[in-house]
Structure formats: C-alpha cells, structure tokens
Amino acid sequence: MNLPNQLTEREPIDPKLAVGSSLPNPKGLLAIVLALYLVNEEKDHLDYSDKSGNTIILKPSLITSLKAFFNGITGYNATEIDSLASANPLVEMQIEPLQVPLQLFWKIAKINILGTDSSSGERTGGVRFPKELFFTTNMDILKNVISNENGDITNTGKELIYSWLTNNNTPTSSVNIEQKLTKTLSVFSEETLFKTWNNSTEIIFQQEGIYNAFDTTNATVDIGGTKEIKGTLRNLKSSISKDIHPYLKISSSNVELKNPSLATQFDNYQKRVSNYLDLNPKSIEIKIVETEEEINVDDVTILNKIYYGAPGTGKSHKVNELLKGKEERTERVTFHPEYDYASFIGGFKPITEVDAESGKEEIKYKFVPQTFTNIYVDAWNNKDNEYYLVIEEINRGNCAEIFGDIFQLLDRNSDYSITPSNELKQYLVKELTSVDGIKGIENGKMKLPSNLNILATMNTSDQSLFPMDSAFKRRWDWEYIPINYEKSEENPSSHYQVVVSDSISFSWLEFIEKVNTIIKENPNLGMDKCIGNYFIKAKDNSITLEEFINKAIFYLWNDVFKDEDDHIFEENTFYEDFFPIATKGKEKVLKILEKIGLNTPEKED
C-alpha cells in the first residue's frame, strides 16, 4: 500500500527585516520574472543568466524566447527586448535585495546564486554571479490573472507585462487587468512581516497593522518611524509609491487611502485580510528567539555587542550561528596583549615594489589598511548590505590603545565624528568611491556607517587582564551567555559522557553542575571561574579521560583552586599526581567524583 509521505518539516523563513533591500523598479522585477516563467513553459526551475566579466546577462536563448512571446503585440520593439539582456533587475541587483521581494514580499520564487544557497556572494558593488530561480505556485495565480477562460495569455496581458518590462505607460486596454494584477500582488504580501522603530522600540507588523491604525482622527499612518527603513518595509514603500496597491498611496513615509470613495471597499478588504490571517497565523517573537539554532542576525539590531560569560559557554558558537551565511561580509580578529592600533586600523609599512622603468625592486612606505579599515570601507561602499566585525577575546587586548580615537565612534546615538590621521584620511578618500561611501570621509571626518555591526566575545574569567574603563563599556550592549544545566535534546552537552575506562563513565553535565556549585559558593571565586558546557568539545558525545585531565582538571587545579584551602582535590595532591593517566589519573578522578558528591560509577571487577 503506497501511502502519502510524512509531513515535511521546513526551516523558519528568515524575514530579513534589517537587510538593505532597495527596490527602485518593482514592476520591472515582477514583469521579468513572470515573463521568464511563461517562456520557460511554466517549469519550476530556471537557470537564467550567463557570466560576462564582473556582471551577468540573460541567456541569449531566453532573449529569443521573449521576442517570440511578445512579437505581434501593440508597441512591440525587438530592440527593447535586446536591451533586457544586460538591463533588468534580475541581472543588475544583488542577491539579497532580490531575495526580499521575490521570496518574502511576493513569494513568487526562490532565487540563489547558481550552485549555492548562500546569500552573501556578491559583496562588492559591481560583481554579479549567475543565478537560478525556483518558481512557486503564486506564479500559477499570476498566470491565471492575465489569461482568458481557456488558459491562454491574452494580448492585453502581454501588453501589460511588456509595458512594465520596458518602463512604458500602461496601455489603456490593459488598465483593468493591471488593477487585477496589482491587487493579487498585494494579497501575496499580506502575510509578510515588516519592521519600523519608535525610538528604541521595535514594531513588527503586517499590512493589517497599517489598516488597523486608520481611524476617524488619523487619516495617515507613518511607516517610517524613527530609524532608517530597511528590509521588506522598503519593498512595501516602493510598491505603494509605484501604485502596486489597490487602496493605499504614500507621501514620504505617510500612508493614506487613495480616495475616500474607496472606504467601504477597503473596509471589506481589511476584514477579509484579517479573516485570512486568522487561518494562517504567524508566531512572532521579537528579538525573538534566544536559542542558538533559531536566532538570525537579520531579526536583531546588533551594532555594538559583547557576549560574555564563563569559559566554554558557547559565546563564539553563538556569534557564528548569528552570522551563518554572512561570512563574505564578516571580518574577524582576536585581541591579545601585543595587539595595537596599527594592527587594528593600519599604518605606514615598508612595501617592496618593482619599478616600472628600471625593473628593480624598491622599498616604499605605504599605508597598509588592517581589519577595521577594510570593513569600514566595505560597509560604506555597499550600504545595501550589513557588515560584521567580530572581535574574539576583546578583553585580552588593551582596548584603549587598540581603538585609539576610533573608540569615540562607538557612540552610535550621536552624530559624533573624528578626524583621522592624514595617512588614513588619504587612504579613505581614495577607497571610498560610492555615493554613500563618500560620507565615510565627508569633510575629512570619519563616522561609523549604520550597516557596520561590531560583535565581541569575552571570558569573564579573563576580565582582569586589561580592565575596560566605564566610558568604553557603556558604548556596548552586553549579553550574558549562561551555563545550561538542563537535560534536554536542545542541550547537546547533556549527552556528553567522560569515559574513564571501558566500563566506567560519568555525565559531563552533572560534573560541571557539581563543581560550579562549589566554585560559586566560594567567596574568593564566583561565577567567573565556572566551567561552561563546551569547555571541552566532545567527539561523538564522548570525552576521553586524557582530555578531561589535561583540560578540565588542569584548569581547576591551576586557575581555580590553586590558592584555595577549600577545593575538590585530596590533601597534598599535585597536578603531576594525575600521571600516568590510565592508572593514577583514573584513581584521582574517581576520588574527585566521590568528594563532590557525583554518583560514582561502579568500579571495575
């Protein structure tokens, strides 16, 4: 008996609420996707582009198919179709600003860089990679809108798509079908999530939130809020401004009803939207999800943030999960006692170059940028994307020396700027080339771009290495990463076993809970010295006795209980007494387990 397959569990959709996603030509984007779907015989997949230098173009076979599709309609011009090869949103726009309207706003197609599901491959402004489309059933609905009762595309439908493709006025004969198409697109976007700000408060909403904000005293709704519009909200603003909404119009960021005469129709439409959303609810948690597996950086405003906690709590792992898929727009650095301003920002260094005339090698001094300057330039030159600077073990370096005057720029709530050194200023003037990028050295001043986020990690056990002054600390948001003692599938460390021998093992989680309780109760120690869940990385949920002694026991002996009278070790025990591990080490570990009150495994026969 051939029964249906079990329900497919799908990953939650990343709403990309904080990603740059300008959509200057929504009608042009919709039209090219719809036209390609139709000439591709309504197949689910289309590899539509070829590489051409640093750009991409539509495949010539698709240009030929588009000409055949539109040939014969009023206003057709083959030259206009030829121009689409290199001038249409699918080949001009970066991948993430394409994903927002296609995947989230209208839900008409998934789009990937060919051969990968990464969304971070087009870091540089002019570089484009071949892409592929995976169409959804919403394309079937759009086709039906422009088809006759036999399912054939009408000439008025073709003429409408053609006018949107070529940025021409909609033919009079296609006005009615255009109204049907725009209303359908609006229905597609009713589930979409948007984000705006009321000062520091996030407001996550759907279009229903706009509809419900209208009342007898408020004829307009401000969707702009108090911060820069990003993500899907940019798409909504662009669509309303381009008349892709049956009831709304927009001026600046203020939305209102197109015409008072539409009030009754709009009221009924609003109620139908509400009824539909009741049947298709979204569970919305704002800043939202705290588990490492579910949280996504596009849902969270980061800017400057330090993740801190005991050694091994998973601080770096959390940062890595946050930035998964963003590696191309991430720079990483680890602070240490020898790290300084020149290592972080850059400075003049001797560079060997070959003289063009003599062919001889010459040593010249040039400004060589380092991690911070590189990502500063990238972020300013590509304002449509978020960029991330990750600083591991931030307190192991002298932050005051490393940041220097750049430290002032961490104050994100002001318009404060700094004057960089002459050599840095000259470098920035040369490298900041985009319209937005010039603002990064406007009037000779530096200011952090709003799309540059700085994340750092800090082990609290190391906090005395280079103390941070209060002025530096208050410019950061802080998030404590606690130790998780819960035994559950969501806590991988609850499955870790320390293998003492073939027949003896014990729970790593129970061990750290017992030991950390002792540490916290000692007035000279406290949470800073506790052991985190991932202090030792288990392989296949197993930790060998050698790893346990060389990492956990050594840390407890050398960094925690070394100078304490009250400890977990037997009297007159020294670290070297744990060797050889297989004999003495095993015996000492069993003694420790007995002393801390952990259920001692049964001894071997």
Side-chain angles (χ1 to χ4, degrees), residues 559-600:
D559 295 328
V560 181
F561 294 114
K562 185 176 182 179
D563 299 317
E564 300 300 316
D565 294 330
D566 186 16
H567 51 68
I568 64 173
F569 302 98
E570 288 185 291
E571 293 297 328
N572 302 317
T573 296
F574 297 93
Y575 181 64
E576 55 265 30
D577 294 338
F578 285 85
F579 300 87
I581 288 175
T583 53
K584 291 184 177 181
K586 171 186 168 183
E587 179 185 346
K588 291 291 184 184
V589 167
L590 293 175
K591 292 283 188 182
I592 289 173
L593 298 181
E594 184 177 352
K595 186 168 185 178
I596 66 177
L598 183 62
N599 291 332
T600 307

Coordinates of all heavy atoms in Angstrom, one line a residue, residues 559-600:
D559 N 44.0 27.3 37.7 CA 43.3 28.6 37.6 C 42.2 28.8 38.6 O 41.8 30.0 38.8 CB 42.7 28.8 36.2 CG 43.8 28.9 35.1 OD1 44.9 29.4 35.4 OD2 43.5 28.5 34.0
V560 N 41.7 27.8 39.2 CA 40.6 27.9 40.1 C 41.0 27.7 41.6 O 40.9 28.6 42.4 CB 39.4 27.0 39.7 CG1 38.2 27.1 40.6 CG2 39.0 27.2 38.3
F561 N 41.4 26.5 41.9 CA 41.6 26.1 43.3 C 43.1 26.2 43.7 O 43.4 25.8 44.9 CB 41.1 24.6 43.5 CG 39.6 24.5 43.3 CD1 39.1 23.7 42.3 CD2 38.7 25.1 44.2 CE1 37.7 23.6 42.1 CE2 37.4 25.0 44.1 CZ 36.9 24.2 43.0
K562 N 43.9 26.7 42.9 CA 45.4 26.6 43.2 C 45.7 27.3 44.6 O 46.5 26.8 45.3 CB 46.2 27.3 42.1 CG 47.7 27.3 42.2 CD 48.3 27.9 41.0 CE 49.9 27.8 41.2 NZ 50.5 28.4 40.0
D563 N 45.1 28.4 44.8 CA 45.4 29.2 46.1 C 44.3 29.0 47.1 O 44.2 29.8 48.1 CB 45.7 30.6 45.7 CG 46.8 30.8 44.8 OD1 47.9 30.1 45.0 OD2 46.7 31.6 43.8
E564 N 43.4 28.1 46.9 CA 42.3 27.9 47.9 C 42.5 26.8 48.8 O 43.0 25.7 48.5 CB 41.0 27.7 47.0 CG 40.6 28.8 46.1 CD 40.4 30.1 46.8 OE1 39.7 30.1 47.8 OE2 40.9 31.1 46.3
D565 N 42.1 27.0 50.1 CA 42.2 25.9 51.1 C 41.1 24.9 50.9 O 41.2 23.7 51.1 CB 42.1 26.5 52.5 CG 43.3 27.4 52.8 OD1 44.4 27.1 52.3 OD2 43.1 28.4 53.6
D566 N 39.9 25.4 50.4 CA 38.8 24.5 50.2 C 38.7 24.2 48.7 O 38.4 25.1 47.9 CB 37.5 25.2 50.7 CG 36.3 24.3 50.6 OD1 36.5 23.1 50.5 OD2 35.1 24.8 50.6
H567 N 38.9 22.9 48.4 CA 39.0 22.6 47.0 C 38.5 21.1 46.8 O 38.1 20.5 47.7 CB 40.4 22.7 46.4 CG 41.5 22.1 47.2 ND1 41.6 20.7 47.3 CD2 42.5 22.6 47.9 CE1 42.6 20.4 48.0 NE2 43.2 21.5 48.5
I568 N 38.5 20.7 45.5 CA 37.9 19.3 45.2 C 39.0 18.2 45.2 O 38.6 17.1 45.0 CB 37.2 19.4 43.9 CG1 38.3 19.6 42.7 CG2 36.1 20.4 43.8 CD1 37.7 19.5 41.3
F569 N 40.2 18.6 45.5 CA 41.3 17.6 45.4 C 41.6 17.1 46.8 O 41.4 17.7 47.8 CB 42.6 18.3 44.8 CG 42.4 18.8 43.4 CD1 42.1 20.2 43.3 CD2 42.4 18.0 42.3 CE1 41.9 20.8 42.0 CE2 42.1 18.6 41.1 CZ 41.9 19.9 40.9
E570 N 42.2 15.9 46.8 CA 42.7 15.3 48.1 C 43.8 16.1 48.6 O 44.5 16.8 47.9 CB 43.2 13.9 47.8 CG 42.1 12.8 47.6 CD 42.7 11.4 47.5 OE1 43.5 11.2 46.5 OE2 42.5 10.6 48.4
E571 N 44.0 16.1 49.9 CA 45.1 16.8 50.5 C 46.4 16.3 50.0 O 46.6 15.2 49.7 CB 45.1 16.6 52.1 CG 43.8 17.2 52.8 CD 43.8 18.7 52.6 OE1 44.9 19.4 52.6 OE2 42.7 19.3 52.6
N572 N 47.3 17.3 49.9 CA 48.7 17.1 49.4 C 48.7 16.4 48.0 O 49.6 15.6 47.7 CB 49.4 16.1 50.4 CG 49.5 16.8 51.8 OD1 49.8 18.0 51.9 ND2 49.3 15.9 52.8
T573 N 47.7 16.8 47.2 CA 47.7 16.3 45.8 C 48.3 17.4 44.9 O 48.0 18.6 45.0 CB 46.3 16.0 45.3 OG1 45.8 14.9 46.1 CG2 46.2 15.6 43.9
F574 N 49.2 17.0 44.0 CA 49.7 17.9 43.0 C 49.3 17.4 41.6 O 48.9 16.3 41.4 CB 51.3 17.9 43.1 CG 51.8 18.4 44.4 CD1 52.0 17.5 45.4 CD2 52.0 19.7 44.6 CE1 52.5 17.9 46.6 CE2 52.4 20.2 45.8 CZ 52.7 19.3 46.8
Y575 N 49.3 18.4 40.6 CA 48.8 18.0 39.3 C 49.5 16.9 38.7 O 48.9 16.0 38.0 CB 48.8 19.3 38.4 CG 48.3 19.0 37.0 CD1 47.0 18.7 36.8 CD2 49.1 19.0 35.9 CE1 46.4 18.4 35.6 CE2 48.6 18.8 34.6 CZ 47.3 18.5 34.5 OH 46.8 18.2 33.2
E576 N 50.8 16.8 38.9 CA 51.6 15.7 38.3 C 51.2 14.3 38.9 O 51.5 13.3 38.3 CB 53.1 15.9 38.5 CG 53.5 16.1 40.0 CD 53.6 17.6 40.3 OE1 52.9 18.4 39.7 OE2 54.5 17.9 41.2
D577 N 50.4 14.3 40.0 CA 50.0 13.1 40.6 C 48.9 12.4 39.8 O 48.5 11.2 40.0 CB 49.4 13.3 42.0 CG 50.5 13.8 43.0 OD1 51.7 13.5 42.7 OD2 50.1 14.4 44.0
F578 N 48.4 13.1 38.7 CA 47.4 12.5 37.8 C 48.0 11.7 36.7 O 47.3 11.2 35.8 CB 46.5 13.6 37.2 CG 45.5 14.2 38.2 CD1 45.9 15.2 39.1 CD2 44.2 13.7 38.2 CE1 44.9 15.7 39.9 CE2 43.3 14.2 39.1 CZ 43.6 15.2 40.0
F579 N 49.4 11.6 36.7 CA 50.1 10.9 35.7 C 50.9 9.7 36.3 O 51.4 9.9 37.4 CB 51.0 11.8 34.9 CG 50.2 13.0 34.3 CD1 49.9 14.2 35.0 CD2 49.7 12.9 33.0 CE1 49.2 15.2 34.4 CE2 49.0 13.9 32.4 CZ 48.8 15.1 33.1
P580 N 50.9 8.6 35.5 CA 50.2 8.3 34.3 C 48.7 8.3 34.4 O 48.1 7.9 35.4 CB 50.7 6.8 33.9 CG 51.8 6.6 34.9 CD 51.6 7.4 36.1
I581 N 48.1 8.7 33.3 CA 46.6 8.9 33.3 C 45.9 7.6 33.5 O 44.9 7.6 34.3 CB 46.2 9.7 32.0 CG1 46.7 11.1 32.0 CG2 44.7 9.6 31.8 CD1 46.4 11.9 30.8
A582 N 46.3 6.6 32.8 CA 45.5 5.4 32.8 C 45.4 4.7 34.2 O 44.4 4.0 34.5 CB 46.1 4.4 31.9
T583 N 46.4 5.0 35.1 CA 46.4 4.4 36.4 C 46.1 5.4 37.5 O 45.0 5.5 38.1 CB 47.7 3.7 36.7 OG1 48.8 4.6 36.5 CG2 47.8 2.5 35.8
K584 N 47.1 6.3 37.7 CA 46.9 7.3 38.8 C 45.9 8.3 38.5 O 45.1 8.8 39.3 CB 48.3 8.0 39.0 CG 49.3 7.2 39.7 CD 50.6 8.0 40.0 CE 51.7 7.1 40.7 NZ 52.9 7.9 41.0
G585 N 45.8 8.7 37.2 CA 44.8 9.7 36.8 C 43.4 9.2 37.0 O 42.5 9.9 37.5
K586 N 43.2 7.9 36.6 CA 41.9 7.3 36.8 C 41.5 7.3 38.3 O 40.4 7.6 38.7 CB 41.9 5.9 36.2 CG 40.7 5.1 36.5 CD 40.9 3.6 36.0 CE 39.8 2.7 36.6 NZ 40.1 1.3 36.2
E587 N 42.5 6.9 39.1 CA 42.2 6.8 40.6 C 41.9 8.2 41.2 O 40.9 8.3 41.9 CB 43.4 6.2 41.3 CG 43.3 6.1 42.8 CD 44.6 5.6 43.4 OE1 45.5 5.1 42.7 OE2 44.7 5.8 44.7
K588 N 42.6 9.2 40.8 CA 42.4 10.6 41.3 C 41.0 11.1 40.9 O 40.3 11.8 41.6 CB 43.5 11.5 40.8 CG 44.9 11.2 41.4 CD 44.9 11.5 42.9 CE 46.3 11.3 43.5 NZ 46.3 11.5 45.0
V589 N 40.6 10.9 39.6 CA 39.4 11.4 39.1 C 38.2 10.7 39.9 O 37.2 11.4 40.3 CB 39.2 11.1 37.6 CG1 37.8 11.3 37.1 CG2 40.2 12.0 36.8
L590 N 38.3 9.4 40.2 CA 37.3 8.8 40.9 C 37.2 9.3 42.3 O 36.1 9.5 42.9 CB 37.5 7.3 41.0 CG 37.4 6.5 39.6 CD1 37.8 5.0 39.8 CD2 36.0 6.6 39.1
K591 N 38.3 9.7 42.9 CA 38.3 10.3 44.2 C 37.6 11.7 44.2 O 36.8 12.1 45.1 CB 39.7 10.5 44.7 CG 40.5 9.2 45.1 CD 40.0 8.7 46.4 CE 40.9 7.5 46.8 NZ 40.4 6.9 48.1
I592 N 37.8 12.5 43.1 CA 37.2 13.8 43.0 C 35.7 13.6 42.9 O 34.9 14.3 43.5 CB 37.7 14.5 41.7 CG1 39.2 14.9 42.0 CG2 36.9 15.7 41.3 CD1 39.9 15.5 40.8
L593 N 35.2 12.6 42.0 CA 33.8 12.4 41.9 C 33.1 12.1 43.2 O 32.0 12.5 43.5 CB 33.6 11.2 40.9 CG 34.1 11.4 39.5 CD1 33.7 10.2 38.6 CD2 33.5 12.7 38.8
E594 N 33.8 11.3 44.0 CA 33.3 10.9 45.3 C 33.2 12.1 46.2 O 32.2 12.3 46.9 CB 34.2 9.8 45.9 CG 33.7 9.3 47.3 CD 34.6 8.2 47.8 OE1 35.5 7.7 47.1 OE2 34.4 7.8 49.0
K595 N 34.2 13.0 46.2 CA 34.3 14.2 47.0 C 33.2 15.2 46.7 O 32.6 15.8 47.6 CB 35.7 14.8 47.0 CG 35.9 15.9 48.0 CD 37.3 16.3 48.1 CE 37.4 17.4 49.2 NZ 38.9 17.8 49.4
I596 N 32.9 15.4 45.4 CA 31.9 16.4 45.0 C 30.5 15.9 45.1 O 29.5 16.6 44.8 CB 32.2 17.0 43.6 CG1 32.0 15.9 42.5 CG2 33.6 17.6 43.5 CD1 32.2 16.4 41.1
G597 N 30.4 14.6 45.4 CA 29.0 14.0 45.5 C 28.4 13.6 44.3 O 27.1 13.4 44.2
L598 N 29.2 13.4 43.2 CA 28.6 12.9 42.0 C 28.5 11.3 42.1 O 29.4 10.7 42.6 CB 29.5 13.2 40.8 CG 29.1 12.8 39.4 CD1 27.8 13.5 39.0 CD2 30.1 13.2 38.3
N599 N 27.4 10.8 41.6 CA 27.2 9.4 41.7 C 28.4 8.6 41.1 O 28.6 8.7 39.9 CB 25.9 8.9 41.0 CG 24.7 9.4 41.8 OD1 24.7 9.6 43.0 ND2 23.6 9.7 41.1
T600 N 29.2 8.0 41.9 CA 30.4 7.3 41.4 C 30.0 6.1 40.6 O 29.3 5.3 41.1 CB 31.3 7.0 42.6 OG1 31.5 8.1 43.4 CG2 32.6 6.4 42.1

